Amino acid sequence: MRTPTGISAHPTGHHDDLVSFADPEYEQPAEPPLLLDEVADPALEPALEPVPETPPGHRHRHRRRRPSPRRHAARRQRRGRGRRRPPSPLRTYRRATKLLLALLFGTAFLLLADRCAVMYAEKKAQQKLQQALHLEAQPQVDIRGFPFLTQVLTKRLRQVDVTVPDVAADRVSLAKVRASARDIRLTGSLPAGIHGAVVGRLEGNVLLAFDDMNRELGASQVRFSDLGGNTIGAKGRLSVAGQELVLRARARLRRDGDRAVSTAVEDMSLDLPRVATYRPGPGEGRTLTLHPEAAELLSRDAARVKALLSVPAIAARLGVSEEDVALALRSEERLHELTGAPRFVERLTKVNLVDVVLDNPWLLERLGIDPQLITALTRLQPPALADRLALSFRLPKQADDLHLHAVSVRSDGIRVELTAAGLPIGT
């Protein structure tokens, strides 16, 4: 608490101030003398507390002096050494932002470097595969796993996918070969001494597309399709003796060891539309039968039916006795009863006419068939026809370590599963 300053014993009042402005010639009247009864008794009056005198220099001794700016700065510096001010939120935000940006830029740089290394390695692998397998088109190589650089440092790649288009294999070309290699161990020293790799496990598949088979085997006239049960159907057109015939066949897929796939062509037929069907084969295996439409028309033509019944071999195959044949040839009514039987047309479609028409060429004209066509058909050998539809392919010699695992027929073509273990590449 501040010590009170001294107060003068004779304070000046407003009256003294007015006297100072009074006329100097004016004389103040003398004070009247005090009466005895007006003199105060000290014993009766309360004692007044003495007012302490103010020592000289009292005001200046207790007033704080304002320090100079230099001393003030030094004092603030000494105070700052003992305690730290809490950081401001703005300064903390700026530091966090700088650290975050530095982290983002560093991560982006590492990602970019890793991806560039992957692209370079994939390009080199594509060139190596194209040269090693003598491919016309460059394969596609995808290196899986992240990060790539750590895999290279350990010289082990997790997974590499390879897709090779248009690989030549025997008579046809493989539309697409896909392979997935896992646990790949790089051989050589880093960074420039890598000269090969060893694939721990490889799984792949080969597609032999029906479109390629149609183009390369069928000469754009035969179409292949899936019939189910690993069976392929073939249908197209074949020109024989100036006439267009419809070719149909079934080919059963089979695997020849673990390196090749082939087909066994069976149930082949050549159709003269709405007339007859010829099935080639060895010896008695070839047949010539009438279509139901042709047999129905023939049963309504008395002249043609009599021509057929006049041939004993045909009458015997139809199950008609010699007596009934004789009656039918003499009586139109008996002939109508014979040909009007419910099963006559059905039996007629099952009669093999190939040997009969060869012995009786005139009968072909009665049936509406060109004799030259039948002669040309009989000269067609089954192996020659089957060779036109044969499907086969063998893995390239450059891929000796690959093996066929399974073969199946799908809607888009033939798929073959491939496997390999411990496959060396470029070593």
Side-chain angles (χ1 to χ4, degrees):
M1 180 175 178
R2 184 175 179 181
T3 306
T5 56
I7 302 176
S8 175
H10 302 281
T12 58
H14 297 284
H15 177 74
D16 296 336
D17 294 338
L18 294 176
V19 170
S20 61
F21 291 98
D23 189 2
E25 296 180 356
Y26 175 77
E27 294 182 1
Q28 187 175 1
E31 295 182 1
L34 296 177
L35 300 178
L36 292 177
D37 55 357
E38 292 180 358
V39 176
D41 189 359
L44 298 178
E45 292 294 333
L48 296 177
E49 294 182 359
V51 179
E53 296 183 359
T54 302
H58 171 75
R59 181 181 303 271
H60 298 287
R61 183 171 61 250
H62 293 280
R63 181 181 300 175
R64 293 185 179 181
R65 296 181 180 180
R66 181 175 299 176
S68 64
R70 181 177 300 178
R71 292 181 179 180
H72 184 69
R75 185 180 301 174
R76 291 182 58 185
Q77 185 176 3
R78 288 194 301 269
R79 291 179 180 177
R81 292 177 183 176
R83 59 179 180 178
R84 293 183 180 179
R85 293 184 178 181
S88 64
L90 181 60
R91 181 179 300 177
T92 304
Y93 174 76
R94 289 178 179 177
R95 290 179 180 178
T97 304
K98 291 180 180 179
L99 291 176
L100 181 59
L101 290 177
L103 181 61
L104 290 177
F105 280 120
T107 305
F109 177 77
L110 292 178
L111 289 175
L112 181 61
D114 190 84
R115 293 301 91 190
C116 290
V118 168
M119 294 174 61
Y120 177 79
E122 291 175 348
K123 189 66 176 179
K124 286 295 183 181
Q126 292 172 3
Q127 296 175 357
K128 289 288 185 181
L129 283 177
Q130 186 176 11
Q131 295 174 1
L133 300 179
H134 305 284
L135 303 175
E136 296 182 0
Q138 192 175 78
Q140 179 181 352
V141 178
D142 296 323
I143 301 177
R144 305 294 183 182
F146 177 83
F148 169 71
L149 293 178
T150 57
Q151 299 182 63
V152 175
L153 292 177
T154 57
K155 295 199 295 186
R156 281 190 178 274
L157 303 181
R158 302 173 189 171
Q159 180 179 349
V160 177
D161 297 335
V162 180
T163 303
V164 183
D166 298 330
V167 180
D170 204 0
R171 295 183 58 190
V172 295
S173 61
L174 305 179
K176 188 174 294 184
V177 177
R178 293 179 178 176
S180 178
R182 301 176 184 272
D183 191 18
I184 305 165
R185 180 170 54 86
L186 303 178
T187 57
S189 58
L190 296 172
I194 300 296
H195 53 76
V198 177
V199 179
R201 182 166 54 92
L202 183 140
E203 296 178 356
N205 60 78
V206 176
L207 173 63
L208 180 59
F210 285 140
D211 293 338
D212 295 335
M213 294 164 57
N214 296 337
R215 181 179 63 254
E216 299 176 14
L217 296 179
S220 301
Q221 295 183 353
V222 179
R223 295 289 179 268
F224 297 90
S225 60
D226 177 25
L227 298 181
N230 282 353
T231 303
I232 303 171
K235 182 179 179 180
R237 295 186 175 275
L238 182 66
S239 180
V240 179
Q243 295 195 31
E244 199 77 15
L245 304 182
V246 178
L247 173 65
R248 291 184 176 89
R250 295 163 58 93
R252 190 169 297 277
L253 194 64
R254 62 188 181 187
R255 187 179 63 179
D256 295 340
D258 61 353
R259 298 285 301 168
V261 174
S262 62
T263 55
V265 180
E266 57 188 21
D267 196 16
M268 186 183 301
S269 64
L270 293 170
D271 292 342
L272 184 60
R274 305 178 65 87
V275 178
T277 298
Y278 174 72
R279 290 181 173 85
E284 297 180 358
R286 56 182 182 175
T287 60
L288 178 65
T289 55
L290 295 176
H291 283 183
E293 297 88 345
E296 183 71 25
L297 293 175
L298 183 61
S299 64
R300 299 175 185 176
D301 192 334
R304 292 184 178 182
V305 172
K306 289 180 179 181
L308 286 176
L309 294 177
S310 63
V311 180
I314 296 178
R317 295 173 184 177
L318 287 173
V320 181
S321 62
E322 295 182 359
E323 295 179 0
D324 292 337
V325 170
L327 292 175
L329 293 177
R330 292 193 300 266
S331 172
E332 295 290 336
E333 183 178 356
R334 182 58 182 167
L335 180 64
H336 180 70
E337 292 178 359
L338 180 63
T339 57
R343 300 187 60 185
F344 180 79
V345 175
E346 181 182 354
R347 291 197 299 265
L348 190 57
T349 57
K350 296 180 179 180
V351 174
N352 186 7
L353 303 175
V354 65
D355 56 340
V356 178
V357 296
L358 291 178
D359 297 334
N360 303 276
W362 56 270
L363 187 59
L364 291 173
E365 297 180 358
R366 295 290 183 91
L367 297 177
I369 302 175
D370 185 3
Q372 295 182 358
L373 174 62
I374 301 301
T375 302
L377 287 176
T378 56
R379 291 177 180 176
L380 289 176
Q381 299 298 325
L385 289 175
D387 186 64
R388 297 186 181 185
L389 304 177
L391 314 174
S392 63
F393 73 90
R394 182 177 296 274
L395 291 176
K397 296 180 179 180
Q398 296 83 356
D400 292 336
D401 297 313
L402 292 178
H403 304 282
L404 300 180
H405 176 65
V407 181
S408 60
V409 181
R410 306 289 180 86
S411 59
D412 55 348
I414 302 173
R415 289 189 177 272
V416 181
E417 304 296 330
L418 304 175
T419 59
L423 178 65
I425 299 176
T427 57

